[in-house]
Amino acid sequence: MKIKAEAKILVEESAGSDGMISRERVAAVCDYVDQKESPRRKTALLRAYAKLLALELKKQEALVECSGEIGGATFESIKEFIKKAAPEAPAKLKFAKKVNGKLLGGIRIRYGDNIWERTVRTTLDALR
Amino acid sequence: MNEILNQISERISKIESENRKSNVGTIIALADGVARLSGLSEAMYNEMISFDDGVFGIALNLGEEEVGCVLLGDTSSVREGQEGRTTGKLLSVPVGKELLGRVVDVLGRPLDGKGEIKAKEFFPVEKIAPGILPRKSVNQPLQTGILEVDAMIPIGRGQRELIIGDRSTGKTSIALDTIINQARINKEGIESGAKDFRPVYSVYVAIGQKNANLARTIQLLEKHDAMQYTVIVAASASENAANLYIAPYSGCAIGEWFMQNGMDALIVYDDLSKHAAAYRQVSLLLKRPSGREAYPGDVFYLHSRLLERSARMNEENGGGSLTALPIIETQQGDVSAYIPTNVISITDGQIFLDTDLFNQGIRPAISVGISVSRVGSAAQIKAFKQVGGTLKGEYAQYKELAAFAQFGSDLDARTKATIEKGDRLVEVLKQKNNSPKPVQMEVAILWTLQNGFLNDIEVKKIADAVKSFEEYAKAHGQEVLGRILSEKVISDGIAAQLKSLCEAWKKTFI
């Protein structure tokens, strides 16, 4: 089997039934590769696995940036918004909050490769 | 006051709704105007990707993990690690009459310092060519003003005629003469106020040319008052390969606007050899597999999809047309190389320029034998067919006999006559740079030749005789020239008038 295809399978195996990647499963996958593969192939496979895993991990967490602190109710409504906007997201999606003064006002949500943004900064940039 | 505030808030809300969601990627590698981005999982093929500082790119390679993107414009501010965002838009350029008289870059931004272009419309750079049904066969001439072309290789509106030849054989001159001639015809037509007059607007796409050459071209067009009907799309040799690759498509979009709006346009691609080389560079940087001469496999499609966009539309679709004059530079006259054969097979004919003819002083150095217009006489006015219908055959016969006569053997009277007429024909067809002739004058000159009025003039004096005839006809033959132009056929009356004009001129020419 080609390294890329095998790495894909390993990434799938690293995720549990809830779609979340766990530390234990990743360790088990690494052990499996260590035992089964030849030293030369092992390195290439682990590199490809790490690359794909990094992309997958991006989809396990959503980052919510705001120019100030976000209240609990607002944060909950943001969570609901992301679940609707990205139905492919795992059910146990992690959410992180970050205060970013550079936004000047408004909110920016990042999930995977997607960004939802409504900030004063982008509006000013667009006007410029 | 309220109106002004509403206007601003409308603009802000429009921007806000535009930038609500975007798909992003990070530049992981950047070289020679090509960026590889990780992410951009939702990017579409040919979609515009925006970077910081107003730099745009086009997504050309959609991989599973990364996207290959060619960058346009000045890319010096782009760095590794920067983000690129999808825009949901295809690359578009401003189009419309506002661009006439302007020099723009591949994104339609002005380069001439004449201020902002206030275009009302934008057209996508890549567009599917019109299908079969909205088209019409080519039947209206596009006068180049070059006697040899108009008489023997006529070009019609909506045709694709390739200009091919080695370096410095006069390829660009033929294209520029055609643009200058269109400007002259436009000016005369608009001044005459004729209702059925259809001006031809020109688009000149400079691909990979030196800025000095481009400046010379602009000066030339300005000198002949042709810039007011012309748009120049410039992607000079100093720009990155991606700009050179996009330039003809941008120019085509600008020309297509005229066609789609029922007008006639002419587009010159100068030249497609450099365009193919630029595409090869982009493809190699994108790590696409290479084929013959290291060109990618889709290099035929590169030019076919561009040239298919030139068409003549039928009346239900506005009746507009886009005539293309692509230029190809050959190496050592080799027309069987990869790119020349591709473009020859796509176009509706070719004008082949020969280095040997050029060096012999025969200019334009058109090799009539292998030049052809597949539209043929459908794109000629009847008067031209009357005086020039047999010209190509006569010329070919002359060439054959002239080669034979070089052996110095005795020739019969008929062969001698053919050679003598041929010698005169070659002299008549010689034409100076940037001096296109009106169609009525071309017809009159050929009529003079065909009816033996130049037979008793020495071959070396033919050029002077033609010049003298032109001056005489301009001064004393305006009526008959006007009749040729309006009636488009040489009737007995016109023939009689031409005869008396020629007889009168002969008395003045010593």
Side-chain angles (χ1 to χ4, degrees):
Chain A
M1 193 187 280
K2 280 188 177 174
I3 284 180
K4 213 170 167 184
E6 201 172 339
K8 260 187 186 176
I9 295 170
L10 294 179
V11 171
E12 280 169 21
E13 290 303 320
S14 308
S17 55
D18 57 356
M20 300 300 286
I21 288 169
S22 69
R23 198 180 287 263
E24 296 76 33
R25 290 183 84 95
V26 171
V29 165
C30 290
D31 289 343
Y32 169 80
V33 174
D34 202 27
Q35 285 163 19
K36 291 276 177 184
E37 298 292 344
S38 65
R40 201 172 150 195
R41 201 164 187 274
K42 198 191 304 177
T43 327
L45 184 58
L46 283 174
R47 276 198 186 124
Y49 172 62
K51 206 172 164 186
L52 289 179
L53 197 67
L55 293 174
E56 202 55 37
L57 281 169
K58 268 191 189 175
K59 296 174 191 167
Q60 306 275 308
E61 190 179 82
L63 176 67
V64 180
E65 287 177 90
C66 194
S67 53
E69 283 296 333
I70 315 170
T74 316
F75 195 57
E76 284 307 312
S77 64
I78 290 169
K79 282 181 181 177
E80 285 305 309
F81 166 76
I82 296 172
K83 280 175 188 167
K84 270 186 198 164
E88 73 279 8
K92 288 184 180 173
L93 179 69
K94 289 177 199 162
F95 291 92
K97 274 196 272 187
K98 189 182 168 188
V99 175
N100 185 353
K102 285 180 184 171
L103 302 180
L104 301 176
I107 193 165
R108 181 198 277 167
I109 306 160
R110 183 167 186 150
Y111 170 66
D113 292 339
N114 289 327
I115 285 183
W116 290 269
E117 192 166 22
R118 192 177 264 194
T119 61
V120 175
R121 183 168 188 99
T122 47
T123 309
L124 287 174
D125 284 348
L127 280 172
R128 194 174 56 181
Chain B
M1 181 77 174
N2 276 346
E3 268 180 36
I4 296 166
L5 290 174
N6 284 342
Q7 202 182 336
I8 296 169
S9 50
E10 258 176 43
R11 202 168 158 184
I12 290 171
S13 60
K14 196 181 160 201
I15 292 160
E16 281 186 335
S17 61
E18 273 171 6
N19 64 21
R20 195 175 270 184
K21 187 192 168 185
S22 51
N23 194 253
V24 292
T26 312
I27 299 176
I28 52 171
L30 180 68
D32 302 304
V34 172
R36 277 167 44 225
L37 294 99
S38 90
L40 285 180
S41 54
E42 289 174 19
M44 296 177 287
Y45 184 63
N46 270 340
E47 186 179 354
M48 274 175 89
I49 308 293
S50 81
F51 297 90
D52 294 346
D53 297 326
V55 176
F56 284 99
I58 308 166
L60 280 187
N61 258 20
L62 303 184
E64 219 173 341
E65 291 147 34
E66 59 183 51
V67 170
C69 179
V70 293
L71 303 174
L72 303 168
D74 181 14
T75 59
S76 53
S77 63
V78 183
R79 298 272 181 275
E80 252 182 48
Q82 260 183 17
E83 277 185 352
R85 293 177 178 221
T86 56
T87 57
K89 290 179 201 161
L90 291 172
L91 185 65
S92 300
V93 286
V95 292
K97 284 191 174 176
E98 294 81 8
L99 275 100
L100 290 171
R102 303 300 301 267
V103 183
V104 296
D105 70 359
V106 292
L107 296 174
R109 294 177 297 203
L111 292 173
D112 50 8
K114 291 181 184 169
E116 193 191 343
I117 297 169
K118 287 174 181 151
K120 294 179 193 86
E121 280 183 73
F122 283 78
F123 263 25
V125 162
E126 289 272 5
K127 212 173 175 189
I128 302 289
I132 303 162
L133 291 177
R135 288 184 191 235
K136 189 182 166 187
S137 57
V138 175
N139 63 355
Q140 206 182 350
L142 181 118
Q143 305 295 349
T144 62
I146 300 162
L147 182 55
E148 200 166 355
V149 175
D150 291 341
M152 292 192 275
I153 319 149
I155 301 171
R157 294 188 187 186
Q159 192 179 338
R160 289 100 27 108
E161 182 79 8
L162 170 67
I163 302 171
I164 185 168
D166 277 6
R167 57 179 288 277
S168 301
T169 49
K171 303 182 294 297
T172 304
S173 296
I174 288 185
L176 291 178
D177 278 6
T178 310
I179 292 176
I180 291 168
N181 198 41
Q182 301 320 307
R184 186 191 55 76
I185 296 170
N186 290 352
K187 218 181 295 165
E188 285 174 9
I190 292 165
E191 276 169 14
S192 75
K195 276 184 184 172
D196 58 344
F197 176 71
R198 294 171 64 89
V200 177
Y201 300 100
S202 306
V203 181
Y204 179 79
V205 186
I207 309 160
Q209 288 188 26
K210 283 181 268 184
N211 279 327
N213 285 355
L214 192 57
R216 209 175 304 141
T217 302
I218 296 165
Q219 272 174 4
L220 179 75
L221 294 177
E222 275 172 351
K223 187 180 152 196
H224 289 87
D225 228 3
M227 267 310 278
Q228 55 178 319
Y229 304 105
T230 310
V231 184
I232 294 182
V233 180
S236 71
S238 63
E239 292 182 37
N240 71 37
N243 288 8
L244 270 59
Y245 157 61
I246 292 295
Y249 299 100
S250 296
C252 191
I254 293 167
E256 251 173 359
W257 181 86
F258 292 103
M259 178 177 76
Q260 302 285 1
N261 286 282
M263 289 173 265
D264 292 325
L266 162 75
I267 185 160
V268 176
Y269 303 110
D270 195 1
D271 66 73
L272 291 187
S273 308
K274 290 194 189 83
H275 180 236
Y279 185 58
R280 171 170 63 184
Q281 190 181 332
V282 168
S283 297
L284 291 172
L285 288 166
L286 285 168
K287 295 194 180 356
R288 288 181 178 177
S290 57
R292 184 175 159 188
E293 290 175 32
Y295 287 106
D298 62 343
V299 76
F300 186 91
Y301 179 56
L302 172 83
H303 290 148
S304 65
R305 74 172 191 266
L306 171 73
L307 293 167
E308 269 300 296
R309 287 163 72 177
S310 299
R312 173 85 202 269
M313 309 299 279
N314 60 23
E315 273 69 34
E316 293 87 73
N317 289 282
S321 73
L322 180 63
T323 312
L325 293 180
I327 293 175
I328 286 281
E329 187 181 298
T330 52
Q331 305 294 329
Q332 301 288 310
D334 181 17
V335 286
S336 63
Y338 190 25
I339 302 302
T341 46
N342 276 357
V343 184
I344 285 170
S345 70
I346 295 163
T347 48
D348 307 311
Q350 70 275 349
I351 296 169
F352 180 75
L353 297 159
D354 192 357
T355 313
D356 291 341
L357 290 176
F358 188 87
N359 292 338
Q360 284 166 28
I362 300 170
R363 294 167 200 178
I366 298 170
S367 172
V368 177
I370 59 169
S371 298
V372 68
S373 168
R374 289 187 197 121
V375 170
S377 57
Q380 255 181 336
I381 61 168
K382 200 175 174 195
F384 241 130
K385 287 182 211 171
Q386 286 173 295
V387 293
T390 56
L391 218 55
K392 208 172 174 190
E394 284 171 15
Y395 193 89
Q397 202 181 5
Y398 156 71
K399 278 281 172 192
E400 200 176 320
L401 292 173
F404 183 68
Q406 279 183 335
F407 296 112
S409 54
D410 285 340
L411 301 167
D412 61 282
R414 203 174 147 195
T415 310
K416 263 186 188 167
T418 310
I419 290 173
E420 275 178 22
K421 193 181 175 190
D423 285 338
R424 283 174 174 76
L425 175 61
V426 170
E427 290 300 314
V428 166
L429 294 178
K430 280 183 187 174
Q431 195 168 333
K432 278 189 181 160
N433 225 357
N434 313 322
S435 55
K437 292 181 170 71
V439 63
Q440 62 274 27
M441 187 63 82
E442 290 177 327
V443 170
I445 292 169
L446 284 182
W447 189 92
T448 312
L449 174 80
Q450 296 289 42
N451 288 279
F453 285 96
L454 302 177
N455 286 358
D456 55 347
I457 298 170
E458 269 185 84
V459 173
K460 62 181 180 189
K461 283 188 179 171
I462 292 288
D464 293 336
V466 172
K467 197 179 168 194
S468 151
F469 174 76
E470 276 184 57
E471 281 164 9
Y472 189 85
K474 266 183 208 162
H476 303 96
Q478 280 303 332
E479 195 201 331
V480 66
L481 292 177
R483 278 186 71 188
I484 294 171
L485 189 64
S486 58
E487 293 175 30
K488 293 182 172 61
V489 60
I490 300 180
S491 58
D492 292 343
I494 290 177
Q497 269 186 299
L498 276 171
K499 194 180 172 195
S500 59
L501 181 75
C502 288
E503 282 166 353
W505 160 71
K506 279 296 281 285
K507 284 174 195 162
T508 65
F509 183 71
I510 307 151

